[in-house]
Amino acid sequence: MAYGDVSVVSMMPELTNSIDDDSGSSPWTSLPTDIVEHALALLPFPYIFQVRSICKKWNSLIFCSQFQEASLRCPVPWGQFYSPRIGWKGGASPLVTWQSYNLSEGKWVSMPQFEFPTFARKFSWNLIAANGGLFCFGASDARRLLVCNPMTKRWKELLPVSLDSKAPIISHMIVDEQRNSYDILFLAEMLPADLILKSGAYCSGEFYCLTRHFLTGRYTIVILDLTMLRWRDNNIRIPEGFENYPYIVACSGQVHLVSGSSEATDTMPMASIGIFRLDPNLSSWEKVSEYSNFQFLRSTGAIYGCGAHGSKIYVVTYAYDMWIAVYNISTGIWEEPIKGNFYDMKDIFETKFSFQPNLRVAP
């Protein structure tokens, strides 16, 4: 059963009847609200979304500031997640279904469904950025923006942006949880001539862009100083021999490159995947790890995407079932690759973002 499914109520009829008892005899109804909030805050994610369906009072708890504060003090960690695919459930249903890979527990999790606001359903939307528990969706006209907290199901429509929809664009969210604010960064028409944006990573006030030369096909890293809003003078080449489907990510306060080796085999498009750490002062790369798991590499014709959360870097294949491999920077160990199952999802639009559940941050 998917987490967040309201059918969980049928599994706990005695508890449901006890809470909904109008006679006032239920011990649950006599408990002080702060005790209930603290008890529910101890539940690990995503079970909190199952108990929401017990009664209206519990369903409204996650919107309560006291409960949100209690969840922050909770010793049960909610874990780190990667959100691989999001899609419509199919048919006439406005519900959006999505699944995430739990980086903490090494398993796939079905997340609580949500739906777009009524006014937004006439547009086609793509997830263009995510950070700090928020999703940013861009409409097909490349100007309308929606920000959503999928946990609280709160939405906000932002002012339209003026961008040339034909220009190559990279978007990124920078969330300040202390101030409960966020910035959305768009890079369009700012890039030096003849360079095409491929991916980007924010680290220590600078935005690192992986680019490809329009004519030569050569990959380089260019760095944008967000304080001065100007490009740094030095461009950094990516390591030779690792130029297949490169991605750049920020992990543990440092910039890393993830790329497939240029060497192919009879059964695999790349012999291995390398992870390199950038020294921005020396403009040089240090190889952190090289991954050659046959089962994982055989499943893909390309690296579909990768990202980082906490001390972990994840790599996802382009295959439909989307195998995922996770490397832990802290331990230097690759976890056993896992594949997903998305065959019940329709009209899928794919994502390459990490996700950290957060009840406090507002769109």
Side-chain angles (χ1 to χ4, degrees):
M1 180 191 62
Y3 295 125
D5 192 333
V6 296
S7 62
V8 72
V9 175
S10 63
M11 300 176 61
M12 296 177 287
E14 294 182 2
L15 178 60
T16 304
N17 294 336
S18 173
I19 294 175
D20 290 338
D21 186 2
D22 294 332
S23 66
S25 60
S26 169
W28 288 96
T29 59
S30 61
L31 285 175
T33 301
D34 59 334
I35 298 295
V36 175
E37 290 172 352
H38 181 75
L40 295 184
L42 293 174
L43 287 172
F45 182 88
Y47 297 109
I48 182 61
F49 294 95
Q50 291 186 344
V51 302
R52 282 179 57 192
S53 57
I54 297 298
C55 64
K56 292 181 180 180
K57 182 178 180 180
W58 287 14
N59 183 54
S60 63
L61 265 181
I62 66 169
F63 301 104
C64 174
S65 60
Q66 290 87 348
F67 173 77
Q68 295 171 5
E69 291 290 340
S71 66
L72 285 179
R73 299 189 299 269
C74 172
V76 181
W78 273 17
Q80 303 165 348
F81 290 82
Y82 161 67
S83 175
R85 285 190 174 183
I86 297 181
W88 297 100
K89 192 68 175 178
S93 172
L95 288 175
V96 177
T97 181
W98 56 301
Q99 295 183 352
S100 289
Y101 183 80
N102 188 325
L103 293 170
S104 302
E105 300 181 10
K107 65 180 182 181
W108 295 98
V109 177
S110 294
M111 306 295 273
Q113 296 176 343
F114 63 94
E115 57 185 309
F116 283 96
T118 303
F119 71 86
R121 295 175 192 171
K122 59 182 178 181
F123 299 103
S124 175
W125 297 91
N126 287 310
L127 184 60
I128 61 174
N131 195 12
L134 295 177
F135 284 163
C136 179
F137 292 92
S140 53
D141 61 4
R143 288 172 174 80
R144 290 178 173 84
L145 297 174
L146 286 176
V147 176
C148 166
N149 184 330
M151 298 295 97
T152 61
K153 300 182 182 180
R154 290 179 173 174
W155 292 83
K156 182 177 182 180
E157 183 177 17
L158 305 184
L159 294 175
V161 293
S162 300
L163 293 173
D164 181 358
S165 60
K166 297 181 180 180
I169 298 172
I170 279 185
S171 52
H172 189 83
M173 287 190 80
I174 304 171
V175 177
D176 187 334
E177 295 186 28
Q178 298 297 324
R179 299 181 178 179
N180 196 25
S181 64
Y182 55 86
D183 295 314
I184 301 177
L185 171 67
F186 290 93
L187 295 182
E189 298 180 341
M190 294 178 61
L191 206 63
D194 299 327
L195 295 181
I196 303 173
L197 289 166
K198 303 300 291 184
S199 65
Y202 172 79
C203 186
S204 302
E206 294 181 317
F207 197 74
Y208 294 75
C209 298
L210 174 66
T211 67
R212 188 176 186 182
H213 195 277
F214 180 74
L215 297 176
T216 66
R218 182 178 299 169
Y219 288 99
T220 57
I221 306 293
V222 295
I223 305 172
L224 176 64
D225 185 325
L226 294 179
T227 302
M228 305 299 294
L229 287 181
R230 67 183 183 189
W231 298 99
R232 283 176 50 173
D233 294 333
N234 58 322
N235 293 352
I236 306 171
R237 291 282 306 275
I238 71 172
E240 292 185 7
F242 285 86
E243 299 173 335
N244 268 342
Y245 313 105
Y247 280 84
I248 189 169
V249 298
C251 183
S252 297
Q254 294 177 299
V255 174
H256 293 77
L257 177 79
V258 180
S259 186
S261 65
S262 303
E263 178 186 359
T265 70
D266 293 337
T267 57
M268 297 182 296
M270 60 194 78
S272 63
I273 294 174
I275 297 181
F276 301 83
R277 181 186 296 114
L278 174 65
D279 185 332
N281 297 319
L282 300 177
S283 300
S284 61
W285 298 97
E286 173 192 357
K287 182 184 286 188
V288 175
S289 179
E290 189 169 353
Y291 188 59
S292 55
N293 182 285
F294 176 77
Q295 184 182 33
F296 180 79
L297 294 174
R298 185 183 60 176
S299 70
T300 180
I303 298 176
Y304 162 67
C306 70
H309 204 134
S311 62
K312 295 185 177 183
I313 295 176
Y314 49 83
V315 186
V316 186
T317 69
Y318 196 75
Y320 181 75
D321 50 9
M322 292 190 76
W323 284 76
I324 181 170
V326 179
Y327 177 74
N328 192 321
I329 290 288
S330 299
T331 63
I333 296 175
W334 285 90
E335 299 174 5
E336 191 69 21
I338 303 292
K339 71 175 180 178
N341 182 3
F342 307 96
Y343 299 107
D344 63 339
M345 300 172 70
K346 308 296 182 183
D347 301 325
I348 295 171
F349 51 94
E350 302 164 325
T351 74
K352 305 180 179 70
F353 304 102
S354 59
F355 178 75
Q356 178 67 46
N358 191 330
L359 298 178
R360 293 192 67 196
V361 64

